[in-house]
Amino acid sequence: MSLTTRRTRMAAAALAAITAIGGLAACGKDDDAPVAGEKPAKLVVDTFGEFGYDEIIKQYEKDTGIKVELRKTAQLNEYRPKIVRALATGKGAADVVALEEGILNEFKANPANWADLAPLVSDHSKDYLPWKWELGKAPDGRLIGLPTDVGSLAVCYRRDLFQAAKLPVERDQVAALWPDWNAFIETGKKYRTATGKGLLDSVTTAASAVMFQQGGELFYDKDDNVVADKSAAVKTSWDTAVAMADAKITAETATWSPEWSAGFKQGTFAATFCPSWMLGIVADNSGPQNKGKWDVAPVPGGAGNWGGSWLGVPTQSKYPKEAAKLAEYLTNAQSQVAAFKLKGPLPTNLEALKNQEFLAYTNEYFNNAPTGKIFGESVAKIQPLHLGPKHQAVKENAFEPALRSYEQGQATKDKAWEQFAKDAKTQGAF
Amino acid sequence: MSLSATTAPPSPAAPPPRPPARRRSRSHSLTRMDLKYSPYLYIAPFFVVFGIFGLYPMLRTAWMSLHDWNLIGDHSFIGFDNYVALVKDEYFWNATLNTFGIFLLSTIPQLLLALFLANLLNRTFLRARTLFRMAIFMPNVVSVAAVAIVFGMLFQRDFGVINWLLSFVGIDAVDWDAERWSSWTAIASMVNWRWTGYNTLILLAGMQAIPRDLYEAAALDGASQWKQFWRITLPMLTPTFVFVVILSTIGGLQLFTEPLVFANGNIIGGDQREFQTLAMYMYELGIENLNTAGYGAAVAWAMFLMIALVSGINFLLVRRTVK
């Protein structure tokens, strides 16, 4: 019957079209699930910023015969949505995922998305800075992340600009300029009198440095309740930053803004607070023409930890065992030293921190500053911090905007604090 | 109907000429089938694609907005609570104000300018018209992010070109992203730069469709260029103008990339949220804050309703005034 065939054909065509499109939408289905014990052909690693894994991975590929694809995302705020999307849809996550402190805390609230690494790798609980190791664990006890780097603090300063302002330029003399924060503010005033400019890049880098020196509870208490407006550490950090704004010792730039980036090259400010991962950013922003003009000195008020990451394995990975092994490899002492030399992330592996190669390392761009020694020594003094699930959001969307509003004269001291207290509650609720 | 006609059991008393008649009726019904159903098949691809990529996400968003939804965790049904909270949300209304402020600052000058340019390009005496028409469309080809980055540099506080130019007329450096008026101006200028040419071309196409003899007749009657524009061009252009206004409304109220890049990627858009748009607020709640995805979905639907409403109002207004 030609009619029925025609109808069937029509229906078949329509059906084919629908299934074709439906198939497109449903692509990426797990039809190639691995046979138990089979070695993966390829593992994917997701990182942001610079982890310095390029060389290490080549060695791993040679040793194991497993290909590694390294997917880099430049900025954290582009990187995070990708991870969230992969977790929310259950597809597309890499086998090994770099988790920055803020992200890790947030993901800890839903630990089921992450493989428990403890049974998959050897026992490393004694190999890393103890507090760093502990932070890699979720509330339910599973080990979500293996420690990579830590953001020990220092001050990056411009020798040429210090000289022009008739301030001392050598590292130990500069360190003697600011034993504490009051002395730092006094130095800033002297710099302003001599040059008419701000000493420091932004009020928020200082606030971060002070905050991360305090230790203990910041925006959250131990039970993850938001205590942002009652926390002593936050208040100290706020007050110090406000004093700096009042003394007009900053260049009033917002960190990561175009004014800030251009300021490095143009010399709008002469100092910024550098966790070790920041060294690469300072160098990139300042450009080759300013090589040797920057130097690194200790921070006023003692050691602190700003940032740092872990490596985790999402449960959706097809090869959790091999992925965990790769994460273990990337975080071992040898790899951490190699990564530090390539891009600057500071080791957390105790053996790496004692490594002679690491301790003897000097950074050419920063006037051959012994960065291995400076950062390596301060690491041991870091106080453990409790950050809470949405630390990053509270810091970036409540604390820092309020502080800048005050600095720029958009809000009074009280109004700015009120704005912070209110936003911290909404941003921090989980 | 046609099916039952063709498959009816043959009657035993059928006369000999039946087979040809049957063939005729079959081919007849085939043609009818073809006429009746084929068009649906032809347009099906769009609706299937729209269903998957348009309708489904919309319905899913509506469903999400009725929940307390964690993007990577649990969710529970809470009815219309999200919408109730939205009405009382100070930052939602702040974002609404910003969105409409920037929308007006960009749409009105943009459409006036587009109308003016289209009218110029429509003149017959213009040489190298194609070149000008292409040139005017160029800004639209550039990626939004690139535009936003370049304008972000121009409107920089310390080393920006705009502040440098202002310094020649004795105006102090403006901190463009610190105040409402200045940030709105900067963002609106990006939108205008990118979309004026696009709207010009659509309006131009509309003008080209107006019969030439109308103008010739008017010219013979002694109507000036200006009068021709008011009496012929504008009234005849109404349908095109409505289309352009609605496109601009949809685009303007969804503004996202320009303000986001202008804020250096910070989703709250300025220290006091002075240029956070609705789309940014939706993203902040729906994607940035993992645990308020349901609330973000409610913002998305509120945005949808607003766009529908404003498009409707614009449609009525434009039809009225231009007629």
Side-chain angles (χ1 to χ4, degrees), chain A residues 21 80-81 84 88 107 113 251-252 257-259 266 390 397 401 404-405 410 419 422-423 427 429-430, chain B residues 34 48 52 70-73 90-91 156-157 159 178 264 266 268 271-273 283-284 288-291:
Chain A
I21 294 163
R80 183 178 164 278
V84 169
F107 288 164
N113 291 315
E252 293 189 26
S257 71
E259 287 87 15
Q266 308 284 351
K390 292 176 79 178
N397 294 343
R404 277 196 299 266
S405 297
Q410 290 169 285
Q419 180 189 334
K422 178 181 171 241
D423 288 352
Q427 293 286 342
F430 208 84
Chain B
D34 197 22
V48 172
I52 294 170
N70 186 324
L71 212 51
I72 56 169
E90 189 190 321
Y91 288 156
Q156 230 200 80
R157 185 193 63 193
F159 305 104
N264 309 312
N266 191 333
I268 69 167
D271 294 335
Q272 308 225 302
R273 295 177 186 257
Y283 189 89
E284 182 190 349
E288 281 243 317
N289 300 355
L290 302 176
N291 56 331

Side-chain angles (χ1 to χ4, degrees), chain B residues 117-192:
Chain B
L117 288 173
N119 197 37
L120 280 187
L121 286 174
N122 195 31
R123 298 278 166 89
T124 37
F125 55 76
L126 197 67
R127 276 164 193 267
R129 271 182 297 178
T130 316
L131 180 77
F132 283 113
R133 285 172 191 177
M134 271 172 63
I136 217 160
F137 189 67
M138 283 310 281
N140 201 258
V141 182
V142 184
S143 99
V144 206
V147 175
I149 289 168
V150 170
F151 273 72
M153 302 293 244
L154 294 180
F155 284 103
Q156 230 200 80
R157 185 193 63 193
D158 293 339
F159 305 104
V161 174
I162 309 272
N163 275 345
W164 180 67
L165 291 174
L166 286 178
S167 71
F168 287 118
V169 287
I171 298 173
D172 284 344
V174 177
D175 195 356
W176 291 96
D177 53 10
E179 302 273 348
R180 261 220 163 93
W181 69 268
S182 54
S183 57
W184 287 8
T185 312
I187 294 164
S189 71
M190 295 180 208
V191 180
N192 286 335

Side-chain angles (χ1 to χ4, degrees), chain B residues 226-305:
Chain B
W226 186 239
K227 207 156 208 164
Q228 286 178 25
F229 175 75
W230 274 108
R231 292 291 164 81
I232 303 172
T233 311
L234 226 43
M236 300 287 284
L237 202 60
T238 313
T240 320
F241 205 72
V242 171
F243 175 69
V244 167
V245 166
I246 288 176
L247 269 193
S248 306
T249 309
I250 296 171
L253 295 187
Q254 289 183 338
L255 198 63
F256 181 72
T257 313
E258 288 93 343
L260 185 63
V261 178
F262 189 65
N264 309 312
N266 191 333
I267 202 73
I268 69 167
D271 294 335
Q272 308 225 302
R273 295 177 186 257
E274 56 266 12
F275 55 93
Q276 184 181 42
T277 60
L278 276 172
M280 286 166 84
Y281 192 50
M282 174 187 82
Y283 189 89
E284 182 190 349
L285 295 167
I287 313 280
E288 281 243 317
N289 300 355
L290 302 176
N291 56 331
T292 51
Y295 195 50
V299 176
W301 266 89
M303 249 174 92
F304 174 76
L305 294 178

